[in-house]
Amino acid sequence: GTIRDINALKKAQMALHQEKELALVSLRSIADGVVTTDELGKIQYLNPSAERLLGQDSAAVSGRDYRKILRLVDERSGESLSDLVRLSLSLNDGSGHADEGVLVQEDGSRYHLKVTAAPMRDHFGHVVGAVLVLHDISEVMGMAQQLSYQATHDTLTGLKNRPTFESAVEAGI
């Protein structure tokens, strides 16, 4: 009867609590930044990696528009990236939306980020928000720029190498 029902309910609550704890531990230990928002783009949670990247405390930014905290710009144009949360929520196939941009912090430090946004759904399938994964690709971008420079410049003088110079002359630069 009733006692068996109460015990079953307690077991279910314990299992749910353990599952939630495991999910939080996983989110805290992921190297990538994780930002969750509601369906309007208001921040609900930042994991520790996101807090470090954004220079913000999760509790302090809760309820704020994610675009005010995650200010990403296109590397070449300097223009703000499109609204990734809105884009990911507008795609009906449930797939995420990825973009690359530069995060400029208030102290001027810059991070190249690959940001993937995907809708979060409840167990009924209704969209309840979005999850943004911030992957820091600064080191990779730095290596690519260094390799590009080495491929086009003389290592001793730092001047453009012959093939680069000849290409520039042909192009009339």
Side-chain angles (χ1 to χ4, degrees):
T2 310
I3 292 174
R4 198 173 322 146
D5 291 346
I6 291 172
N7 284 338
L9 183 62
K10 281 185 178 177
K11 273 187 179 170
Q13 285 176 329
M14 285 277 291
L16 192 62
H17 179 73
Q18 285 175 330
E19 203 174 304
K20 184 181 175 188
E21 283 300 305
L22 187 62
L24 284 172
V25 166
S26 300
L27 276 174
R28 283 197 291 266
S29 59
I30 291 174
D32 287 340
V34 177
V35 179
T36 62
T37 74
D38 65 13
E39 65 277 14
L40 301 173
K42 304 272 187 245
I43 293 175
Q44 293 177 324
Y45 171 79
L46 305 179
N47 76 341
S49 295
E51 287 181 326
R52 274 193 304 279
L53 271 173
L54 301 173
Q56 300 283 355
D57 178 65
S58 185
V61 295
S62 182
R64 292 185 57 194
D65 188 313
Y66 87 98
R67 294 182 80 185
K68 300 258 190 293
I69 306 303
L70 178 62
R71 291 186 299 276
L72 286 169
V73 295
D74 181 271
E75 184 185 12
R76 288 190 181 83
S77 70
E79 290 181 26
S80 292
L81 291 188
S82 52
D83 186 341
L84 291 169
V85 166
R86 196 173 49 76
L87 273 170
S88 75
L89 298 184
S90 67
L91 299 170
N92 290 326
D93 57 9
S95 66
H97 183 82
D99 214 337
E100 275 180 28
V102 176
L103 171 71
V104 183
Q105 289 189 330
E106 279 155 14
D107 66 1
S109 56
R110 298 162 67 88
Y111 293 96
H112 285 268
L113 298 181
K114 179 176 185 201
V115 183
T116 308
M120 280 193 306
R121 300 178 188 280
D122 64 15
H123 62 281
F124 298 114
H126 301 129
V127 172
V128 293
V131 60
L132 299 160
V133 178
L134 318 177
H135 184 65
D136 186 357
I137 56 170
S138 303
E139 195 175 334
V140 174
M141 294 299 286
M143 286 191 281
Q145 287 169 344
Q146 188 178 354
L147 286 172
S148 174
Y149 181 85
Q150 288 171 350
T152 57
H153 292 74
D154 179 78
T155 51
L156 187 64
T157 64
L159 299 172
K160 288 188 175 170
N161 61 21
R162 186 179 182 126
T164 306
F165 177 73
E166 286 173 351
S167 294
V169 169
E170 283 174 26
I173 296 173

